[in-house]
Amino acid sequence: MNTTPSPPAWTGMVPVDDTALAVTDSGGSGTPVIYLNGQFATQGYWRRVIAELGPAWRHITYDERARGRKSGRSVDYSFEAAVRDVGAVLDARGVDRAVVVGWSYGAFVAAHWASGNPDRTIGAVLVDGAQPHDWLDDEMEQGIRTVFRRLHWLTVPLRVTGLTPRMTALEMAECNIQVGRLARERELGPVMDRITVPTRYVLASGTSFGSTGDGQERIRASVPAVAERNPHITIHAKVASTHGAILRKDFRTIADAVRGVAG
């Protein structure tokens, strides 16, 4: 009897467009899960979720363009490029379908990928992101540019550690502004309505970096309407952890959501 061997574990660079992405693939014959990072986060953020799910799953992580220690710089840091890169990584690793799990910015990428590629998506887990809400205005756009310009002196020396991206202050600011535009109800609402695969939200509580007052909770308050409109989308949990702590403190809840959409 012929059997297909399980793919071995692999770590390396995946060429895409004008750059290359640092990718880690645990290999094995389990259900593939691809993890999509926060805006300037790295693949290491997922280590607790991966450990909780264990070796019965095939875990694929990668650092986006100019993030981490190894992923190369690019002329294109657009959101559209980030969504395309999901397909490039899956293709490079020979994966037809996978569960997509995204946190923060990565949740937006996961939602767009699942919405546009249902034939390649087993299910999606959206961790405190992809919430349709009109939170960006002209004043906030200027504020974002100002913050990144002021922080640039700190981010440059940290590039060698992989803790900050190898991007200019303007490039980082524009990435954040683009997410604000994509989060608008008229933009993100139709994307969520088109999702046809099992999708679960895991929502945080409290504030996040750059938010003030109850702004973050008002953004999260848009999610029940999303789930009400689309029977494929549910709210798996709302946890007590903040946006920045959720992967560290609530990895078991996130892993349980992965099991739910895969099952």
Side-chain angles (χ1 to χ4, degrees):
M1 182 177 69
N2 292 327
T3 58
T4 302
S6 299
W10 181 86
T11 300
M13 304 298 293
V14 169
V16 55
D17 295 341
D18 63 341
T19 187
L21 308 177
V23 177
T24 302
D25 181 352
S26 70
S29 58
T31 300
V33 185
I34 187 165
Y35 299 86
L36 309 179
N37 307 335
Q39 177 73 276
F40 304 125
T42 61
Q43 50 189 307
Y45 279 55
W46 296 104
R47 62 185 180 276
R48 290 180 177 85
V49 177
I50 291 171
E52 176 67 17
L53 286 170
W57 301 72
R58 182 178 176 183
H59 306 283
I60 300 172
T61 59
Y62 67 98
D63 291 325
E64 295 179 24
R65 303 178 186 211
R67 277 77 153 186
R69 293 183 181 180
K70 296 181 179 180
S71 288
R73 297 199 64 189
S74 174
V75 297
D76 187 0
Y77 298 115
S78 67
F79 182 81
E80 293 77 14
V83 177
R84 291 198 310 271
D85 288 350
V86 178
V89 172
L90 291 177
D91 290 344
R93 300 309 305 143
V95 175
D96 293 327
R97 299 175 70 239
V99 176
V100 290
V101 185
W103 166 61
S104 191
Y105 177 83
F108 284 85
V109 177
H112 276 259
W113 175 262
S115 183
N117 301 274
D119 57 324
R120 302 200 65 182
T121 309
I122 297 169
V125 176
L126 312 176
V127 183
D128 211 37
Q131 303 140 341
H133 188 77
D134 294 20
W135 56 264
L136 182 72
D137 55 27
D138 292 342
E139 182 180 356
M140 186 168 289
E141 281 195 23
Q142 292 306 315
I144 291 171
R145 293 188 181 98
T146 298
V147 166
F148 278 95
R149 187 168 60 249
R150 289 176 176 173
L151 289 176
H152 196 54
W153 68 272
L154 178 63
T155 64
V156 171
L158 291 175
R159 288 176 180 174
V160 295
T161 67
L163 295 176
T164 57
R166 293 178 300 284
M167 301 165 68
T168 68
L170 180 60
E171 288 169 338
M172 289 188 285
E174 291 304 317
C175 283
N176 275 270
I177 290 168
Q178 187 177 26
V179 172
R181 293 169 179 163
L182 290 166
R184 289 169 176 155
E185 171 62 39
R186 67 177 181 271
E187 299 290 339
L188 186 56
V191 173
M192 305 308 298
D193 292 346
R194 288 193 298 268
I195 289 178
T196 58
V197 299
T199 299
R200 297 192 181 191
Y201 277 99
V202 178
L203 302 176
S205 297
T207 61
S208 64
F209 177 75
S211 69
T212 57
D214 65 347
Q216 201 69 34
E217 286 300 314
R218 283 188 279 111
I219 292 173
R220 296 182 184 114
S222 68
V223 174
V226 175
E228 185 176 343
R229 292 196 307 268
N230 189 334
H232 301 286
I233 299 175
T234 60
I235 301 173
H236 181 79
K238 189 178 192 303
V239 299
S241 298
T242 62
H243 181 81
I246 192 169
L247 296 186
R248 186 173 73 254
K249 293 186 176 181
D250 289 287
F251 56 90
R252 293 185 180 89
T253 301
I254 297 166
D256 188 52
V258 173
R259 297 184 188 102
V261 299

